[in-house]
Amino acid sequence: MSKKQFKALVLSVVKHSYVALAVDSHPQFDLVAVCDDPHEPDWVHERNQEFADRFEIPYIRDLDQAVKDYDPDLAVVSSQAERHCDLSVRAAAAGLHVIVDKPLSTKLSECDRLVQAVKTSGVRCLVWNRNFLPALCQATQALKNGAIGDLRAIHCDFYFSKDAGPRKGTREPGYPPINWLQRQIEAHADGSDGGVGVVAMGELQIEGIYPLAYIRMLAGSSVKRVFARTAAHFHQANADNDVDDLATVTLEMETGVAGSLCIGRIGAASHPDIGEIKLHLLGTEGALVVSESRPEIAVHYRGQPANEFRHIRVADDNNYLLMENFAHAIEHGTDTILDAQGGRDICATVDACVRSGKTGQLETVS
Amino acid sequence: MSTGIKLAVEVSSERTQNCRTLAARSCAVQLVDDVKNCSALLTDDIEIAESAVDEGTSVLVLNPFGLSDDICQRIKTSKSCMPAHIRRFKPSILEVKRALDAGRLGHAGLLRIHCWNPDADNTEIFTGEVDLAAWMFGRVPNDIYALDRPGYRQVHLGFEGGGMAIIDFDSANPGDNEYYSLSLIGSSGAAYADDHHNANLLMDNNGTKTLLTSQQDAGFAAMIDHFARSVRDAEEFSTTWCDTIQAKTIAGQVARSAEQQIVVAGESNV
């Protein structure tokens, strides 16, 4: 018996296209159209149109019209970060299931609106994450099997060894601060535009959802209170816009588990690959040290470009498994691996971290 | 050819042979048995150390972090007495510090240490790791927050200029398992000294096991060598009693933070 096919409406695709591509690569999902609001700036329309042309699907500058014309089952939202929730809320209100790119939002109030909209409409929501990477699956299974007993402490190092424009300290006297949106638009070419949008975001806000989703899943707990130190240590754009590119966080979990996170966009020179991303878990019966990148292979050769990764990840089923999880959630009314409420809770943790970084004090997660 | 300094070893009996063996590795050392006939002394007894210093002998004092504040303050002005901050001499740590001091990593930004060891709550280990943080950043922390759980402590330090460190200590890991990981993220580079990177595999009838390649006592030997060369060449020691006092002060502030569950403002006691 063939499985049900789902029609996906790409609701803005201006950052990376990895979410829409992941949806398209699953056999149960078909991209039917791209759409966005008409009043968006030209660069947004250009990127949407480019994606639509690539997949030979129409680009419609009207959400209601697109829903009416193509009767989609779900929306795939990958807009500027500050629009993620609003577009998702509107999609949910139109009865569409939602896949939304990270970060969920720059505002907690917007996340709350999404949680309510999803609940009211009875649709499924998946916040994009990496919880199905092979190493994460292995760690999850080990915990489930009781390999280390009950979890006592969990730690994640999440360093992206990417550059992000001019290095801190390189702005000449008299030059204006870097405009965040302009810098993000320019960064699209090298893929360092994870924070695309008008609102400047630090690394905690842009990438924090990945490690915090790991911790949330493995610990099976929300975060109650945090203490964070944050700094703009590397990049001029972050310094100019008063947002972090390096942070350490102490996480006090609801269950009593002790957690911590080190996160940073540490520059391409600081690691031969994408960056050191590791999990350290302490249990009552043992411990687990996990490298997120494994399995991987190494390739070295004469004349290799300096910025080419020496290690290549293999057997990465994250995209496929996320979409399997989403399809199952739609068909059986189950929760997704990271739903709107989970995304909202992570956003609240990030919000508390940013506050703590500024106050230097413990902050409660709201 | 340089002549080795006459070094005597006066430590608790179970450590004597090991200390003598490691000291004998140094080309700057000529081991002697008679404490009265030495120019340098390795000891874990502070009374013997102070007497020797008074007699003009150079002394390397083991286990300095367990000494009282009064003793540390009394001895801190002595130029001929070196506190054994052994963790600074671990080969992997030395390489990281060399890279930092050479400017290859830029400004230190983030230090992360996992110290999982059945003896992780031992004063020498705990304070020694805190000392590493202050040493890497070259200053005492501004903010200190610590989280305690049974057999576990997490220490979070914030430094002036935006530097930050998290160190976690675990002594509750079952078995004799040990794991150590240190990473230092700088503004233009990073260094990773991680047992996870230095693991080999053993496959036997019971399945596959991981074998960590140990640095063994290489750090201890390097520390004795540094001490002996400094004495021989009349150079200053790389660690001072001010460093010891500073580390002990931070450790005390960590304990206060953990006990009261508050963020403590760091301050120097030197």
Side-chain angles (χ1 to χ4, degrees):
Chain A
M1 194 176 96
S2 63
K3 289 185 175 178
K4 178 174 167 47
Q5 286 298 119
F6 299 105
K7 290 186 283 185
L9 176 67
V10 180
L11 182 45
S12 196
V13 57
V14 303
K15 194 179 75 171
H16 310 145
S17 55
Y18 58 80
V19 180
L21 294 175
V23 173
D24 179 66
S25 67
H26 191 280
Q28 275 185 272
F29 293 85
D30 298 310
L31 305 183
V32 294
V34 178
C35 82
D36 211 326
D37 291 327
H39 56 264
E40 284 302 304
D42 289 346
W43 66 271
V44 169
H45 292 306
E46 285 164 15
R47 290 186 186 179
N48 286 331
Q49 186 66 60
E50 187 181 329
F51 187 86
D53 292 347
R54 183 173 158 196
F55 281 82
E56 299 180 333
I57 53 179
Y59 174 41
I60 300 142
R61 300 185 186 199
D62 183 328
L63 172 58
D64 293 337
Q65 191 65 47
V67 171
K68 186 178 167 191
D69 290 351
Y70 292 92
D71 190 26
D73 299 294
L74 65 137
V76 183
V77 180
S78 191
S79 60
Q80 305 96 311
E82 61 266 17
R83 298 177 65 217
H84 279 165
C85 279
D86 185 59
L87 290 174
S88 299
V89 166
R90 288 160 59 195
L96 307 187
H97 302 289
V98 176
I99 298 176
V100 55
D101 201 356
K102 58 86 190 170
L104 188 51
S105 179
T106 53
K107 285 184 184 171
L108 199 51
S109 57
E110 283 291 279
C111 300
D112 287 332
R113 213 158 66 82
L114 176 60
V115 170
Q116 189 56 48
V118 165
K119 189 176 175 185
T120 302
S121 303
V123 296
R124 303 294 105 191
C125 178
L126 173 67
V127 183
W128 204 249
N129 63 85
R130 311 200 318 183
N131 282 5
F132 282 124
L133 284 174
L136 268 295
C137 292
Q138 185 182 43
T140 305
Q141 195 61 46
L143 268 180
K144 192 175 167 186
N145 293 345
I148 63 168
D150 296 328
L151 191 67
R152 297 186 291 120
I154 181 166
H155 312 275
C156 189
D157 300 312
F158 201 91
Y159 305 122
F160 267 176
S161 60
K162 290 181 177 177
D163 289 322
R167 288 173 55 189
K168 183 183 171 186
T170 54
R171 179 155 63 88
E172 298 291 330
Y175 278 71
I178 293 174
N179 177 278
W180 183 262
L181 177 60
Q182 195 56 43
R183 151 76 200 139
Q184 295 293 317
I185 291 172
E186 290 164 1
H188 192 59
D190 67 10
S192 63
D193 57 337
V196 69
V198 173
V199 180
M201 289 178 288
E203 198 66 359
L204 269 166
Q205 290 170 298
I206 296 171
E207 305 293 353
I209 191 166
Y210 287 144
L212 289 170
Y214 298 161
I215 290 171
R216 178 185 168 84
M217 175 177 71
L218 294 167
S221 174
S222 298
V223 178
K224 184 172 67 176
R225 197 166 68 157
V226 303
F227 175 69
R229 306 309 301 141
T230 58
H233 195 67
F234 304 98
H235 310 296
Q236 191 64 51
N238 292 63
D240 284 351
N241 289 277
D242 192 26
V243 290
D244 65 86
D245 53 26
L246 190 67
T248 45
V249 183
T250 294
L251 301 159
E252 299 181 24
M253 317 288 288
E254 295 281 0
T255 53
V257 169
S260 66
L261 166 66
C262 294
I263 186 168
R265 184 161 298 243
I266 64 175
S270 295
H271 196 270
D273 306 311
I274 189 66
E276 189 82 343
I277 303 179
K278 296 184 78 160
L279 282 153
H280 289 79
L281 292 85
L282 284 163
T284 52
E285 305 296 328
L288 197 56
V289 179
V290 177
S291 180
E292 189 227 45
S293 62
R294 292 170 190 171
E296 61 188 357
I297 64 151
V299 176
H300 307 271
Y301 58 93
R302 186 172 294 129
Q304 191 168 16
N307 60 354
E308 183 174 286
F309 295 162
R310 268 56 179 166
H311 294 87
I312 300 165
R313 296 181 179 208
V314 295
D316 174 2
D317 280 339
N318 188 60
N319 289 351
Y320 178 79
L321 293 174
L322 280 176
M323 294 311 300
E324 279 285 290
N325 176 260
F326 190 61
H328 186 272
I330 294 174
E331 289 171 334
H332 299 94
T334 53
D335 292 333
T336 59
I337 191 164
L338 187 61
D339 60 13
Q341 183 65 51
R344 181 262 176 223
D345 289 349
I346 289 173
C347 200
T349 301
V350 169
D351 195 50
C353 293
V354 172
R355 275 188 280 122
S356 178
K358 292 192 185 302
T359 63
Q361 295 300 317
L362 288 155
E363 294 286 347
T364 301
V365 177
S366 58
Chain B
M1 191 177 122
S2 303
T3 308
I5 59 161
K6 290 181 179 177
L7 178 81
V9 175
E10 187 68 43
V11 296
S12 52
S13 57
E14 71 271 18
R15 301 179 71 178
T16 303
Q17 189 53 47
N18 184 242
C19 287
R20 288 181 65 87
T21 301
L22 294 172
R25 287 196 205 174
S26 172
C27 297
V29 166
Q30 179 191 341
L31 271 178
V32 296
D33 294 327
D34 186 2
V35 177
K36 301 288 183 191
N37 185 34
C38 69
S39 54
L41 175 67
L42 168 63
T43 184
D44 56 6
D45 186 319
I46 191 61
E47 287 185 16
I48 292 173
E50 287 192 286
S51 296
V53 167
D54 288 343
E55 290 168 14
T57 304
S58 298
V59 183
L60 174 58
V61 181
L62 302 182
N63 306 334
F65 299 121
L67 298 176
S68 71
D69 292 345
D70 286 347
I71 290 172
C72 293
Q73 290 287 354
R74 193 167 67 225
I75 209 167
K76 77 177 184 187
T77 54
S78 170
K79 298 286 183 189
S80 58
C81 188
M82 173 179 159
H85 290 210
I86 185 171
R87 305 184 86 74
R88 293 188 184 190
F89 291 90
K90 191 175 177 182
S92 55
I93 307 298
L94 269 179
E95 283 303 321
V96 172
K97 187 65 162 66
R98 280 185 189 130
L100 179 66
D101 289 347
R104 294 199 291 272
L105 308 182
H107 301 296
L110 192 159
L111 176 72
R112 175 58 169 255
I113 298 174
H114 294 283
C115 180
W116 300 353
N117 185 314
D119 298 320
D121 53 359
N122 173 287
T123 299
E124 290 303 318
I125 294 177
F126 176 76
T127 311
E129 295 298 330
V130 168
D131 170 62
L132 286 186
W135 187 47
M136 291 289 180
F137 285 96
R139 62 188 68 192
V140 296
N142 283 354
D143 312 303
I144 297 158
Y145 183 62
L147 196 60
D148 267 4
R149 298 285 185 269
Y152 174 86
R153 173 172 281 180
Q154 183 188 121
V155 178
H156 197 156
L157 308 173
F159 293 86
E160 189 183 326
M164 55 195 83
I166 291 190
I167 313 171
D168 74 336
F169 301 88
D170 186 65
S171 58
N173 207 358
D176 292 326
N177 295 307
E178 288 185 31
Y179 169 78
Y180 189 84
S181 169
L182 178 148
S183 53
L184 180 65
I185 310 297
S187 55
S188 59
Y192 310 92
D194 187 348
D195 281 350
H196 194 198
H197 290 167
N198 293 310
N200 292 319
L201 299 178
L202 168 67
M203 281 156 270
D204 61 17
N205 289 334
N206 296 317
T208 304
K209 299 184 190 69
T210 298
L211 299 179
L212 298 181
T213 46
S214 171
Q215 297 175 51
Q216 298 180 325
D217 288 324
F220 202 116
M223 179 181 67
I224 296 172
D225 186 57
H226 165 77
F227 168 72
R229 288 176 189 276
S230 299
V231 172
R232 185 193 67 188
D233 302 336
E235 292 178 351
E236 289 187 359
F237 303 126
S238 64
T239 55
T240 69
W241 288 94
C242 289
D243 299 334
T244 310
I245 293 165
Q246 181 174 281
K248 282 166 56 66
T249 302
I250 300 168
Q253 291 161 341
V254 166
R256 186 156 69 87
S257 174
E259 187 183 326
Q260 299 178 9
Q261 297 183 39
I262 56 168
V263 180
V264 170
E267 54 190 47
S268 174
N269 190 31
V270 177

